[in-house]
Amino acid sequence: MLPVLLAVTIIVFSIIHLIPGDPVRLALGEMSSQQAYDHMRAELGLDKPLYIQYFSFLWRLAHLNLGKSIIYREDVTKLLAAKLPNTLKLTGSALILSYALAIPLGILAAVKRNTIIDYLSMGIAIAGVSVPSFWLGFLLISLFAIHLHWFPIAGYGGIKYLVLPAVTLGFGGAAIVARMMRSSMLEVINKDYIVTAKAKGLRYWTVITKHALRNALIPIVTLLGLQVGWLIGGAVVIEIVFLRPGVGRLIVNSIYMRDFPVVQGVTLILAVTVILGNLLADILYAVIDPKVRY
Amino acid sequence: MKNKLFFNFLKSTNAVVGGIIIVLFILIALFAPFLAPKSPNAQSLQNVLMRPSLAHPLGTDEFGRSILSRIIFGARVSLNIALIASAVALGIGVPLGALAGYYGGALDSIVEGLVDITWAFPTILAALAIMFMLGPGLHSVMIAVGVVYWAGYARITRGQFIALREEEYVQAARAVGASNLRIIWRHLLPNSLAPLLVQLSLGMGQVILIEASLSFLGLGAQPPTPSWGSMLSSGRAYLLTAPWLTLIPGLAIMLVVLGFNLMGDGLRDALDPRLLHTKK
Amino acid sequence: MLRKRSKGIVWGIALVGILLVFTTFLAVAQTADRATKEANSKTLVVAETTSPPTLSTFTTTWTTAAMRDVLGNLVSIDAKMNYRDDIAQSWNVSADGLTWTFTLKPGVMFTDGTPCDAAAVAWNIIHQRDTGASSYLYSAVKDAVAVNSTTLKLILKNPFPNMLYNLSNSFAGINSPTAVKKYGDDYGVTALVGSGPYIFKQWIKGDHITLVRNPDYTWGPSWLSNKGPAYFKTVIYKFVPEAVTKTMLLQAGEVDIVDGVDPTAIDALKADPNVAVAMTPGRQLIYMGMNVTKPPFDNLLVRQAMNYIVDRKAITKNVFHDAGLPAYNYLTPNVQPQVKSPYTYDPQKASSLLAKAGWTKNADGILEKNGQQFSIILWTSSTTDRVQVATVLQSEMKEVGIKASIQQFDPGSYADMFKTGEQQAFIRLYEWDNMDILEWFFNGKRIAKGVNKTRINNPLLNFLFAKAEMQPTLADRTFVYRLIHEYLLEQSPWVPIFYPSLARAYRSNLGGYTATLYHVYLVDAYRE
């Protein structure tokens, strides 16, 4: 994990310095004085050679210091601490929503295999990954906020502000889960013990819920970890559409403003999260998979 | 084997629907100049934001351009993006995956490491950063998306190669002294095509979506290129007064991506017939 | 006599009595009026497009409306564009134009409890001049002297008629010196202390700024009707980058004021009975600049031709929905000196000028000269309105046989691109409302830094700019700038295209606010 993270820092550092643009000029404004400009560059160490800047970034990182934002003049950790909870709320509820939608759909599709219900539920699920999320977001806003007044348009606050963005983000995630649920369920249904249970005269739905579901859920659990990266990527666009002050909006603005320390710091944190998610998936799979089946 | 795959594919309703959509999409892209009523870039400032009507079948945009014509020519742009970006991704991913899977060892670890690194970045952010580096424009979109998506193809190729390299026919080829390149090219690669095809089909849809997201973030095609993503993105300001500016390209994107996804799904089912959605 | 006098006294007492009753009544009515207004006015939400990096004018030249509510200025500008009192009650300037004397209002306090007196103002000016990002504001100031707590003398190096403009500028807010020193690097980040009607409370970076009422504020500009503290207890400045989201929030009543309505939203908002749209000529110009040192725009005739191919009226009406004016001048509509432009929409005239310059149409309808096609790259930033202008221009150029391809840049790298000198033609927007902008963009000495983007280096212009700086009075300065402006139009380094209006929209139940070109003053604002 450490070599990967080190590579991540090098890549992010190189890319951001290859992007044309001058954060100091952007922070100060075009008409700012040369002396203020020079002063700020020196203060931030931006007048030093790139490799020195990189090593001082690593040095600070080793002390758990992500540096200071060039634009906002605030510690990156402080900025992150303010934004991360909002992103976690969004991605967390989107995750819950997508599973709540996808698992029943997947079961239904598997149980009613090759009926219109199967086609429809899989169709809905696939439609979820087939729309640009910002488009879906704006459509949901026009329908549920503008016309029906059920939810606020954008912003953040109570749970009512969370519904539309979470649905927009969760809808996309549901497809993958539903598809996985269906195939995993189909696999289990055809297993001997289910067939036996059915032959024993147990009621169909009892068999499905008591026996099949439990086993079919195993691969779904491992999907959780893998979806972390996907959710974070999705949050970038959703936070802009719904005006949520989260990490996604922060990082896009920071790229626009060439706020190197923020981009470096936030990408690193996101990369760690994604890698931990993958690790979690691996561990879960190893723990649950072979032994739980009977 | 291949015939069976095709047969299974035809049995899957989803796949057939998806296939029809994609064929239509390709035909529209190919014959765009014959199908479009007007030039996609012909402006008419006297006729801006016209509602869909007989004179303007899908309405006009903020410069009075025919949305129908732009959608038709946009199919060309989208197909182009999907093909080239996927080609870039395949071009990086398949050779690397093949090397890793065939030779294993240190090479495998390196490729695996590269895959992990690529996957550590949220896709849209990685594409965004590369776009900033290259500057806006369709070429940048293609490169950025290709670079971001290579890892999936590498993983699949590697997995297939590892699974296949101990197969009898590969061993046999090796025994008669076939070169590594020949084994890879004649034996391993053809037998890895099916899962790659599934990934390609799903990936093409993703590419079109990513282009739309990049346009939304301000980095898409150069105007006046009629890309669906940039139509959708520039039309969103008129959501309240002229919703057709966003609805129509949005639906076009949805339909085509749905087509790619259904087709990919159908292909996957065809590879694993137990999962098939079939007509009884 | 006595009776008369006593009668007089009686009348006098009666009069005093009546007056007393009347004033009491007035006072009671006023208090009652204030009480109702305050009761109805809890939180005001203003939507702005871009969020600022920091709020300290010493460390950035970005400004945001919230800064004006927190900081006072020495001088204010009213809605009719007159210089009026703010922290300074009055001022005069010596005959040689070298000494400005300001009389400050007594008792003005910063919200950290320190006095906003002549010494504090002098400190602000000197601190900005010596270390600030906007030091150019006071580059003419030799010294700022606090004669006593309410008298401030500015001693200038040279006569500078633009002084009041600079002092009323949003970059020239007066900060509490104590707070600036106390917070150091965090000033403008976690703290902002001034003497304005509102107190800085919280800033969620990139999202919103929260202000609360300054209860002691009684020294506002005299041209505002509310002489006491503001009615709204809380003001929130919300940063909403999406044009359509701003419109939706306003229509739903989740936002009270939109500062900077997007042209695309004007029609929808005008149709809404709950919203009032106000449009006044703004401070912005969208133009196409041309690099006068590179072919094909090194040819004067070609540059002039470009000024004839643009249908500014059609762009104004159909692309920008009349949210602005067609532009023919280099200075924005409120700024003197305005001159008469020779250019109109006349593609035929353009074609004949191009022919005169040696460009003739080939078989494909594209202009050619010595076997070379007229093919250019048109730069623009990826900001919506500029991309729109570029898109229309590209099509209009095509009509006269010019092949233009558009190259977008994101706003963060756009300005830097001009240092390369590779630009041919480029769309830009500037926001300024003083004639000195011409010097900024066209002085030959600013080419290397990429400020002078047309790279024009004309001895006559350079001479006139130097002359203008030395004029003692505004009238003289304006006279020189008129010559400059006329000469520039003839040289045609720019194609002025569109003046975006300053468009603001308010919820109809909002009353009292006073909008100027620079700011919506919220002291008077209340909810009905």
Side-chain angles (χ1 to χ4, degrees), chain A residues 26-28 35 83 249 258, chain C residues 60-62 130 205-206 410:
Chain A
L26 285 167
L28 288 171
Q35 83 194 52
K83 311 265 178 190
R249 216 170 128 201
R258 311 293 188 272
Chain C
T60 185
T61 60
W62 286 66
D130 293 345
K205 302 284 181 312
D410 80 285

Side-chain angles (χ1 to χ4, degrees), chain A residues 7 11-12 19 113-114 118-119 122 126 129-132 134-135 138 179 182 187 233 240 255-256 271 274, chain B residues 13 117 119-121 124 132 209 212 216-217 232 236 246 250 254 258 261 265 268-269 274-278:
Chain A
I11 291 172
V12 175
I19 295 175
R113 191 183 168 192
N114 295 332
D118 182 12
Y119 300 134
M122 283 299 109
I126 292 176
V129 273
S130 304
V131 290
F134 69 92
W135 185 65
F138 279 123
R179 156 96 213 171
R182 176 178 178 272
E187 206 167 301
I240 295 174
I255 296 179
Y256 264 98
V274 173
Chain B
T13 318
I117 291 166
W119 277 351
F121 297 100
I124 181 77
F132 266 95
L209 286 182
F216 171 76
L217 295 174
L232 189 53
R236 71 182 191 269
T246 36
M254 186 173 121
L258 193 69
N261 282 340
D265 227 37
R268 187 156 49 187
D269 286 355
R274 282 174 305 146
L275 304 179
L276 220 54
H277 298 264
T278 49

Side-chain angles (χ1 to χ4, degrees), chain C residues 442-456:
Chain C
F442 297 109
N443 196 326
K445 73 180 182 193
R446 275 196 251 277
I447 291 175
K449 283 185 136 186
V451 173
N452 178 341
K453 295 170 177 67
T454 60
R455 301 177 94 80
I456 192 166

Side-chain angles (χ1 to χ4, degrees), chain C residues 376-392:
Chain C
I376 59 150
I377 295 176
L378 177 60
W379 286 8
T380 177
S381 84
S382 55
T383 322
T384 309
D385 51 2
R386 273 138 273 180
V387 173
Q388 287 179 326
V389 166
T391 312
V392 174

Side-chain angles (χ1 to χ4, degrees), chain C residues 93 136 212 214 317 319 400 406 420 429:
Chain C
V93 57
Y136 71 90
V212 291
N214 176 1
K317 180 163 177 277
V319 179
V400 294
I406 297 172
T420 64
L429 171 147

